[in-house]
Amino acid sequence: MKKAIFYLLASIILFSNCNNTEVKIKKPKLVIGIVIDQMRYDYLTRFADRYQEGGFNRILNDGFSLENAHYNYIPTYTAVGHTSIFTGTTPSNHGIISNNWYDKSLKESIYCVDDSNYKTIGNEGNVGKKSPHRLYTTTVTDQLHLAQNMQGKTIGISIKDRSAILPVGHTANAAYWYDGSNKNQWITSSFYMDELPSWVTEFNTNNKADDYLNSTWETLYDIKTYTQSRTDDNIFEKNLNGQEKPIFPKDLKKLRAQNGNYNLIKTIPAGNTYTVDFAKAVIKGEQLGKTKFTDFLTVSFSATDYVGHRYGVSAVETEDTYLRLDKDLADFFSFLDAEVGKGNYTLFLTADHAAVHAPSYLQSLKIPAHYMDTKKFRDYVLNITQKYFNSKELIENVSNYQIFLDKEKIESLGLNKEKVAQKLADEIMNFDKVYKAVTARTLQTTNFTDGIMNSLQNGYNQKFSGDVLMIPFPATLISSRKGTSHGSGYSYDTHVPIIFYGNGIKKGRSSKKYDIIDIAPTISNLLKIEAPNGTSGIVIEEVLEK
């Protein structure tokens, strides 16, 4: 009897120990953060049966997909999206409130990464005078460097400068972007280095861009099979310069001179292929994933955004771009297997924002949609200040759906700034394209816990944002009636894919609601490092192996 009790107790202890034992997971040698510019979540589902096994479907089937992931702030622009992904927080904390915005202290419009303190490395031009100095928090890549005592390498690449610079933060070894026009070079800033590495110079010398541009863009498959898109010849898309209609085929060799020469590569699917070419060169040239330290590479695909803006959400060009990107990703993943090794890397794939269907197209279907005339709106605002305060000199700037007041002028007239701002917020509600309006003071003193006003509050930065902020009606743009854009807090702009894959990641999917700012703390947890210093997101526990 005593022996039986002994064995029973031993079994219970052994079982308990087994349940409490975590599987020790080795850290990845390389983390890759992939951002696809302007990718809507439904591009995964709309084109699902056309994707091959090795691209999107590989990471969907073998990784963890968040099917209800959203941006939780306004505005949904490129610089803001890339920053929020890697900082784990919103513009209210990290300070990047748009691509361009009005600087209240300088009293001029500024660009998010411009910095005249540095020079271009790679050529004698000015497009390399950049740095992340306007980013006020750390990124997950910064934290990885700090955790490893500045060992390991963190590098960002993209055709767009802001998409290369902002993800890798302040301590990056390098950020590279493409200088097109007549230059055709991948360049960087003296913020990072004094001269280009030899492998970058060699890549630029190989001149792959001409191979892509001296060709014709035709659909990957028979154009009749593109049933998820509108007919190729329609009135809702912009032409390339030199084309009478925005249709296939597109003779790139003939059109390049009229479309910025090498800049044309940004606006075609080959721009993504070219980015993969450079990503491979980075990994080989810098020997990423080859040491005992974890390296981090951020890769942003920008051609999808240029194509989307020009042709819109439902264009054959957009569908073809994603089918070709799928092939590029399959090629890149196979390269990672061979160069870094299966099980040695972790990646996530997401987007910096999504996009709305062209409002003109929605209008043709009798769906409410609008275009806002910014000059008409500014005149409307000035008439308000004239009517109630007998002056048209109280407005310093109107941009990004924000009004900046001239506080010195208001004070000189003996007016109260808060009363002027509130009167403007009340009165501009009568403008036909404005759906909601609120003062900065309200955002500072009221806590909006959910909905679109919460998104506006998350995007509001007390130091940099305006005095009155507006939200237009759904499906409202200030661009032309052809093509599309983004920037709102509505689901068509906020709903994006988030897929985790590789070392330390479970297989599965979830329809729970998560925010884009949850990526950075999740990757930080996987790497067992401190999260970025402004993080307001959460760790997505269900994606991580334990």
Side-chain angles (χ1 to χ4, degrees):
M1 181 68 177
K2 289 182 179 178
K3 186 178 290 188
I5 292 173
F6 172 79
Y7 283 125
L8 177 62
L9 289 172
S11 298
I12 291 171
I13 292 170
L14 179 62
F15 180 75
S16 176
N17 287 340
C18 287
N19 279 350
N20 291 330
T21 300
E22 290 190 350
V23 177
K24 186 172 179 61
I25 300 170
K26 65 177 182 179
K27 288 185 180 180
K29 291 181 177 294
L30 176 63
V31 179
I32 307 102
I34 298 174
V35 183
I36 301 174
D37 204 323
Q38 203 186 120
M39 183 176 183
R40 291 165 53 112
Y41 173 80
D42 67 352
Y43 291 160
L44 283 180
T45 55
R46 277 174 55 198
F47 310 141
D49 61 342
R50 311 203 75 191
Y51 291 142
Q52 57 183 256
E53 288 305 308
F56 287 116
N57 282 329
R58 172 177 171 176
I59 59 175
L60 282 170
N61 294 334
D62 296 333
F64 201 103
S65 175
L66 304 179
E67 299 174 337
N68 191 24
H70 287 262
Y71 277 87
N72 62 333
Y73 62 78
I74 299 170
T76 44
Y77 293 138
T78 296
V80 197
H82 282 77
T83 305
S84 299
I85 291 166
F86 291 90
T87 61
T89 193
T90 62
S92 60
N93 293 320
H94 62 58
I96 302 297
I97 63 171
S98 188
N99 294 333
N100 303 270
W101 65 89
Y102 181 72
D103 187 298
K104 292 184 284 190
S105 59
L106 296 176
K107 297 191 182 304
E108 64 182 25
S109 182
I110 60 173
Y111 178 59
C112 57
V113 292
D114 274 351
D115 193 342
S116 59
N117 293 309
Y118 298 96
K119 64 180 182 179
T120 305
I121 301 298
N123 61 46
E124 299 301 315
N126 294 320
V127 297
K129 294 181 177 182
K130 315 289 180 186
S131 86
H133 73 110
R134 290 193 172 95
L135 170 59
Y136 285 95
T137 61
T138 60
T139 61
V140 63
T141 54
D142 286 325
Q143 296 300 146
L144 179 60
H145 254 160
L146 290 170
Q148 298 183 137
N149 196 28
M150 301 307 293
Q151 300 297 312
K153 295 179 179 179
T154 60
I155 297 174
I157 71 166
S158 176
I159 281 177
K160 292 183 181 179
D161 50 22
R162 57 187 180 270
S163 305
I165 293 168
L166 294 169
V168 283
H170 308 277
T171 63
N173 296 88
Y176 299 103
W177 55 96
Y178 183 63
D179 188 0
S181 189
N182 295 320
K183 295 281 199 319
N184 184 31
Q185 293 171 313
W186 289 83
I187 62 167
T188 189
S189 162
S190 59
F191 176 84
Y192 303 102
M193 63 189 72
D194 295 325
E195 62 181 2
L196 289 178
S198 58
W199 65 263
V200 179
T201 302
E202 182 181 348
F203 185 91
N204 286 334
T205 303
N206 288 340
N207 197 20
K208 284 192 171 186
D210 275 319
D211 294 337
Y212 297 125
L213 289 172
N214 292 333
S215 63
T216 300
W217 178 12
E218 300 186 74
T219 53
L220 186 61
Y221 306 110
D222 186 335
I223 198 168
K224 294 177 183 177
T225 67
Y226 286 67
T227 57
Q228 296 295 329
S229 305
R230 295 183 300 251
T231 56
D232 190 31
D233 188 2
N234 65 80
I235 62 171
F236 307 111
E237 303 171 12
K238 298 175 186 174
N239 300 339
L240 284 170
N241 294 333
Q243 263 200 314
E244 293 183 6
K245 296 181 178 181
I247 59 175
F248 286 97
K250 304 178 193 297
D251 187 340
L252 303 177
K253 186 175 182 179
K254 180 180 178 181
L255 294 168
R256 62 185 290 184
Q258 300 173 70
N259 291 274
N261 196 10
Y262 287 103
N263 280 340
L264 179 59
I265 200 169
K266 302 176 182 181
T267 68
I268 60 175
N272 294 327
T273 312
Y274 196 37
T275 303
V276 169
D277 293 337
F278 192 69
K280 291 178 182 179
V282 172
I283 292 170
K284 283 189 172 183
E286 297 293 340
Q287 291 290 288
L288 300 185
K290 299 295 186 183
T291 72
K292 64 179 181 179
F293 300 103
T294 300
D295 299 319
F296 205 125
L297 175 67
T298 70
V299 183
S300 180
F301 292 100
S302 302
T304 44
D305 186 64
Y306 289 104
V307 170
H309 276 294
R310 183 177 296 274
Y311 302 105
V313 169
S314 296
V316 174
E317 286 85 352
T318 300
E319 182 174 352
D320 194 62
T321 295
Y322 278 89
L323 296 181
R324 291 177 180 276
L325 175 60
D326 182 58
K327 290 187 65 178
D328 289 331
L329 289 174
D331 176 48
F332 187 46
F333 299 157
S334 294
F335 171 84
L336 290 172
D337 292 341
E339 188 67 22
V340 183
K342 287 185 178 181
N344 288 331
Y345 65 89
T346 302
L347 66 81
F348 64 84
L349 181 148
T350 188
D352 58 346
H353 53 75
V356 65
H357 282 277
S360 55
Y361 174 61
L362 296 177
Q363 289 170 350
S364 74
L365 301 174
K366 298 183 173 61
I367 296 174
H370 314 273
Y371 289 94
M372 185 169 175
D373 186 326
T374 54
K375 183 181 183 306
K376 182 180 177 183
F377 176 73
R378 182 177 176 82
D379 290 344
Y380 188 88
V381 170
L382 294 178
N383 287 335
I384 293 172
T385 62
Q386 177 65 41
K387 177 179 179 181
Y388 291 98
F389 304 107
N390 196 35
S391 175
K392 288 189 175 183
E393 298 179 344
L394 308 185
I395 307 301
E396 206 167 81
N397 181 266
V398 180
S399 56
N400 289 323
Y401 294 109
Q402 299 181 33
I403 298 172
F404 294 80
L405 298 178
D406 187 331
K407 297 173 183 62
E408 292 181 1
K409 185 66 178 180
I410 289 172
E411 186 176 338
S412 72
L413 294 175
L415 300 171
N416 181 285
K417 184 193 76 170
E418 307 304 337
K419 288 184 178 180
V420 173
Q422 189 59 59
K423 176 56 71 174
L424 282 167
D426 292 341
E427 291 298 316
I428 62 176
M429 285 298 297
N430 296 319
F431 191 75
D432 60 352
K433 302 302 187 298
V434 174
Y435 193 39
K436 296 178 185 292
V438 64
T439 65
R441 177 61 66 189
T442 297
L443 293 175
Q444 293 166 21
T445 57
T446 305
N447 183 29
F448 296 98
T449 58
D450 55 29
I452 200 163
M453 291 300 289
N454 172 255
S455 295
L456 187 67
Q457 192 164 49
N458 287 336
Y460 169 76
N461 186 292
Q462 185 176 358
K463 191 170 184 66
F464 304 120
S465 298
D467 301 290
V468 180
L469 294 87
M470 299 159 280
I471 299 175
F473 279 96
T476 298
L477 292 181
I478 59 175
S479 57
S480 73
R481 296 180 62 84
K482 296 177 182 290
T484 192
S485 195
H486 48 85
S488 80
Y490 297 111
S491 62
Y492 54 74
D493 277 338
T494 66
H495 190 194
V496 296
I498 299 180
I499 308 168
F500 294 90
Y501 172 86
N503 185 321
I505 304 299
K506 289 180 183 176
K507 293 182 182 180
R509 57 188 63 217
S510 175
S511 58
K512 293 179 184 177
K513 175 112 172 11
Y514 288 104
D515 295 324
I516 200 73
I517 59 174
D518 299 334
I519 293 175
T522 301
I523 292 296
S524 297
N525 185 267
L526 172 72
L527 297 175
K528 304 305 178 191
I529 62 174
E530 184 65 29
N533 62 14
T535 295
S536 50
I538 63 170
V539 175
I540 310 170
E541 294 185 6
E542 62 180 312
V543 312
L544 301 175
E545 289 182 346
K546 294 292 186 181

